[in-house]
Amino acid sequence: LRGRSAAQRMGAPHGDGQHAQPPGMPVVNEDFVVAQAAAQRKLRHGERTPLYAPPRQLIHWGDVQAPRHASWSDLFSDIILVAAAFTCGDVLKNNVQSPLGLLGMAACALNVLNTWSHLAQYRARYEASSVAHRVVDLFEGLFAAASAHNVVSDLKAFEAYYAFAFVAFVLLGRLVQIGRRVELLLSSSVGRAAKLESGEMLVRLSAEALVLA
């Protein structure tokens, strides 16, 4: 350590691509880590997609977080959530003077927010790109789209015909989220802290599913 400043020994930025690291961790060249992650993605791109592979944890304590490449499922989900948000706005526009209109908009918006929050949290922390997971992504997106489709501006028609379908598809979406968390708890490739977080989320999702049922 002789000849290095205190800032350099602590891993503070000093202009050569190295940035602050947790105390006790070695100084890491972030540019090199990001380039290495990009090269690994390029190699995996040419590999055959397995029918099933357990989720891979992307973030570990002390590691540099490399940018994540958006997948087709991310874009597919974005399109669905944008359309669902438009539906929420349409309900509010046509029932802005009615308390029931505000409640209908809130129900739609909270469902969209929950779906987005779950997907963002899951995909930022884990990589699950097998064929089985892509099928699950497809169904989760379809459930979100179907729940939003059953939110209509005519509140009387919604109460009479669409409310049951809305709740049913929201419940199916929660069951998919519960399945993801159970898989993380059973996976040997996920760290202890991530399993604890998944367990807490599983309790919350199970409570929501019971209320919806």
Side-chain angles (χ1 to χ4, degrees):
L1 297 177
R2 183 175 300 173
R4 296 175 62 190
S5 66
Q8 289 174 329
R9 289 196 298 271
M10 292 300 295
H14 46 78
D16 60 354
Q18 295 175 341
H19 300 270
Q21 299 292 318
M25 298 298 296
V27 178
V28 178
N29 189 315
E30 292 191 4
D31 295 335
F32 172 76
V33 173
V34 172
Q36 188 179 44
Q40 292 175 352
R41 280 199 307 269
K42 187 175 181 180
L43 289 175
R44 290 197 300 269
H45 184 70
E47 295 178 354
R48 185 174 181 179
T49 303
L51 291 178
Y52 175 80
R56 184 174 65 89
Q57 189 172 345
L58 297 175
I59 304 174
H60 299 272
W61 171 252
D63 288 350
V64 176
Q65 183 179 356
R68 184 181 178 278
H69 182 68
S71 64
W72 71 269
S73 57
D74 296 327
L75 302 178
F76 176 69
S77 301
D78 286 345
I79 293 173
I80 291 175
L81 294 178
V82 168
F86 178 83
T87 300
C88 296
D90 186 61
V91 171
L92 180 62
K93 174 185 175 183
N94 291 283
N95 301 278
V96 68
Q97 296 181 346
S98 171
L100 293 178
L102 296 177
L103 290 176
M105 187 276 296
C108 178
L110 289 175
N111 179 52
V112 173
L113 180 62
N114 180 278
T115 303
W116 171 84
S117 176
H118 168 76
L119 289 174
Q121 183 186 61
Y122 182 86
R123 291 175 180 170
R125 298 181 181 184
Y126 309 99
E127 181 181 26
S129 56
S130 67
V131 173
H133 287 101
R134 291 181 179 181
V135 172
V136 172
D137 291 341
L138 176 63
F139 275 100
E140 186 172 19
L142 292 177
F143 292 153
S147 63
H149 176 72
N150 283 282
V151 178
V152 296
S153 299
D154 187 343
L155 298 180
K156 292 183 178 180
F158 174 75
E159 184 177 358
Y161 305 108
Y162 297 96
F164 178 78
F166 171 75
V167 173
F169 284 114
V170 171
L171 177 59
L172 289 173
R174 295 296 188 277
L175 293 178
V176 171
Q177 296 173 8
I178 289 173
R180 290 189 190 275
R181 297 299 169 177
V182 171
E183 182 186 32
L184 291 175
L185 289 173
L186 298 177
S187 175
S188 59
S189 61
V190 176
R192 181 174 178 272
K195 287 189 176 184
L196 289 175
E197 184 273 335
S198 296
E200 295 174 357
M201 184 66 70
L202 179 61
V203 172
R204 195 197 81 178
L205 291 171
S206 299
E208 292 180 3
L210 287 174
V211 172
L212 290 169

